[in-house]
Amino acid sequence: MSTLRGKGPFGISYAVLFGGFPFRRPGGAVAGTMMGTAYGLALGTGFLLSPVPKAVGAGVFGADFGAKFAITVYLAHAGFGALLGWLVHRYGTRITPLWSVACELLPSHRARTGGI
């Protein structure tokens, strides 16, 4: 379990940003898993571009350790993202996505829907 240490804030931010989107419907689990995988790969890219690989001696983008370093980082983050996307899709359907709440607050949306 120590390999997942520090992943909590990223999982929480995914759940808050995307919530139960795509909402539970046939084929939605695949879409949720794909969105989670894309999120994980974006996190992996962010990690490889951060100062951490250089600090551990792997160089920029892990180039000094060879392709194995980047492949391992991407596979780990893709797996984490896929599982996260599936879990949020399966159990987070009542979480309202942050972007949905933000759209409700836009004045143009209020005028179209006749909201308060």
Side-chain angles (χ1 to χ4, degrees):
M1 262 322 212
S2 65
T3 58
L4 291 179
R5 190 171 290 164
K7 298 288 188 200
F10 295 111
I12 292 169
S13 64
Y14 177 84
V16 168
L17 288 173
F18 297 104
F21 180 81
F23 302 106
R24 292 184 80 183
R25 63 180 194 282
V30 173
T33 303
M34 296 304 288
M35 286 174 49
T37 303
Y39 180 76
L41 291 174
L43 287 178
T45 301
F47 172 77
L48 288 172
L49 292 173
S50 75
V52 176
K54 193 169 182 176
V56 297
V60 177
F61 218 77
D64 292 348
F65 282 0
K68 292 178 186 178
F69 184 78
I71 291 170
T72 303
V73 167
Y74 277 126
L75 285 177
H77 282 85
F80 170 75
L83 182 61
L84 177 67
W86 182 81
L87 286 172
V88 169
H89 171 74
R90 177 73 174 96
Y91 298 107
T93 55
R94 288 183 280 168
I95 301 171
T96 304
L98 185 62
W99 55 268
S100 176
V101 174
C103 286
E104 290 291 326
L105 297 175
L106 292 174
S108 60
H109 181 70
R110 286 184 184 175
R112 277 195 316 264
T113 60
I116 47 175

